[in-house]
Amino acid sequence: AGMSARYHVTDVFAEAPYTGNQLATFLLAADIDDPEMQRIARAFNFAESTFVTGGSLADGFDVRIFTPAEELPFAGHPALGTAHLLREVMHPQASAITLNLGVGPIVVCFVPDDSGGVVAWMEQNPCSYGDELDRSAAARALGLEPGDVDASMPVQEVSTGLATVVVPLTSLAALRRIEPDNSAIREFLSAAAEAKNVLVVCREPYEAHQQVAARMFAPELGVTEDPATGSANGAFAGYILRHSYLGEGPVRAAIGQGYEIGRPSTLWLEAGAEGGAMRIRVGGRVATVAVGDWLPLMD
């Protein structure tokens, strides 16, 4: 019971209406308890829902992130979408918003572009590199032939706060052939140290303004396929940097994701070494698409 709570729905990494990854956000969630947050996230059934429990522009805003199945310490599209709303609704002139997440503070900056829009950019923690996994096991898990996996690049676990396994393929045709089998993917990921999702990529893009096509599967998180995954693509930026996946030098790339599930998305990546430290930024456009009132529940 209690008062109703206002929520917003955004599309993150969206270049046009009804694209990108959906997010539900409660900007005033101090009075919503943990079990209720989890129930609300399950009811929306988006990849994630976020809850702002307090904070300020000066000290950063305290944000909780829930999938339909569990709470996460960090995720990319929820960080961008939540920061966009905090700016749009509460601080329209802010050039940056800090979010206090489970992995620590994450800063989201807002950069105007030539078209009159704004791109939200998030700096992620430096990438850590885990084990390399078996290529033929990866192919089996995705229902592909071993030759569909790019032998010149590793299948590797990487993380900027939420681990993923990167599986590089030889062609867009192979990427499109995948029909995710949750149990097969779950079994493959059991060989990883901590990753609960797999990012499958190829250097043949969906659209001319992109460099890479990607698909993400996270059966452990209750997400069969995700339209746009900021955390996994941030870790992938570290992978690109280490393995010169798009050639030598700093990374500037646009990644297409979500095309097979009718939510085409574009994620912008920047990565490089600055002063001996790795810097990874993930950017995208965010659009607010709905506002509503979550009515008080009767127990």
Side-chain angles (χ1 to χ4, degrees):
M3 12 189 329
S4 64
R6 171 71 41 110
Y7 67 86
H8 293 73
V9 175
T10 48
D11 284 342
V12 184
F13 301 119
E15 302 278 315
Y18 300 108
T19 67
N21 203 345
Q22 294 169 287
L23 176 74
T25 298
F26 291 74
L27 290 173
L28 299 171
D31 297 335
I32 305 177
D33 65 20
D34 296 16
E36 184 77 351
M37 288 181 189
Q38 184 64 76
R39 286 195 290 264
I40 290 171
R42 195 172 297 129
F44 268 105
N45 208 35
F46 295 161
E48 282 103 7
S49 299
T50 57
F51 302 85
V52 181
T53 57
S56 67
L57 197 55
D59 299 326
F61 292 93
D62 304 331
V63 178
R64 311 272 298 271
I65 304 171
F66 287 81
T67 76
E70 64 181 281
E71 185 171 7
L72 295 181
F74 171 67
H77 102 266
L80 290 184
T82 305
H84 161 90
L85 284 171
L86 285 162
R87 178 178 187 256
E88 185 176 71
V89 176
M90 297 179 177
H91 302 283
Q93 301 309 312
S95 59
I97 298 271
T98 300
L99 306 180
N100 302 320
L101 303 178
V103 294
I106 293 286
V107 178
V108 177
C109 299
F110 299 91
V111 181
D113 68 7
D114 305 338
S115 67
V118 169
V119 177
W121 286 94
M122 150 187 59
E123 178 135 2
Q124 295 193 10
N125 294 329
C127 186
S128 58
Y129 301 90
D131 292 339
E132 295 187 14
L133 282 77
D134 183 69
R135 285 193 184 91
S136 53
R140 265 199 313 280
L142 299 168
L144 299 175
E145 300 299 315
D148 292 326
V149 179
D150 184 345
S152 71
M153 290 283 156
V155 172
Q156 186 176 27
E157 185 167 6
V158 285
S159 179
T160 61
L162 190 70
T164 191
V165 174
V166 174
V167 179
L169 301 185
T170 53
S171 70
L172 184 58
L175 188 71
R176 287 190 155 133
R177 274 205 308 279
I178 300 168
E179 291 186 13
D181 175 333
N182 281 345
S183 59
I185 292 169
R186 192 180 269 125
E187 184 182 344
F188 168 66
L189 286 171
S190 68
E194 53 178 298
K196 294 180 177 178
N197 66 49
V198 57
L199 186 75
V200 188
V201 298
C202 71
R203 288 177 281 205
E204 188 183 342
Y206 293 104
E207 296 189 49
H209 72 280
Q210 300 161 350
Q211 285 73 46
V212 174
R215 298 179 70 179
M216 197 284 261
F217 310 107
E220 286 288 318
L221 302 177
V223 180
T224 298
E225 180 162 1
D226 193 38
T229 317
S231 60
N233 275 283
F236 176 48
Y239 175 103
I240 296 172
L241 205 55
R242 166 169 277 201
H243 300 297
S244 302
Y245 183 74
L246 296 173
E248 294 296 325
V251 177
R252 283 190 67 99
I255 314 298
Q257 190 186 326
Y259 284 72
E260 280 72 21
I261 53 173
R263 300 287 307 187
S265 307
T266 299
L267 305 94
W268 302 91
L269 306 185
E270 289 185 352
E274 291 178 28
M278 186 191 314
R279 295 196 64 181
I280 291 175
R281 297 167 75 229
V282 177
R285 294 179 209 283
V286 185
T288 304
V289 293
V291 183
D293 293 307
W294 196 260
L295 301 176
L297 301 173
M298 302 302 291
D299 290 334

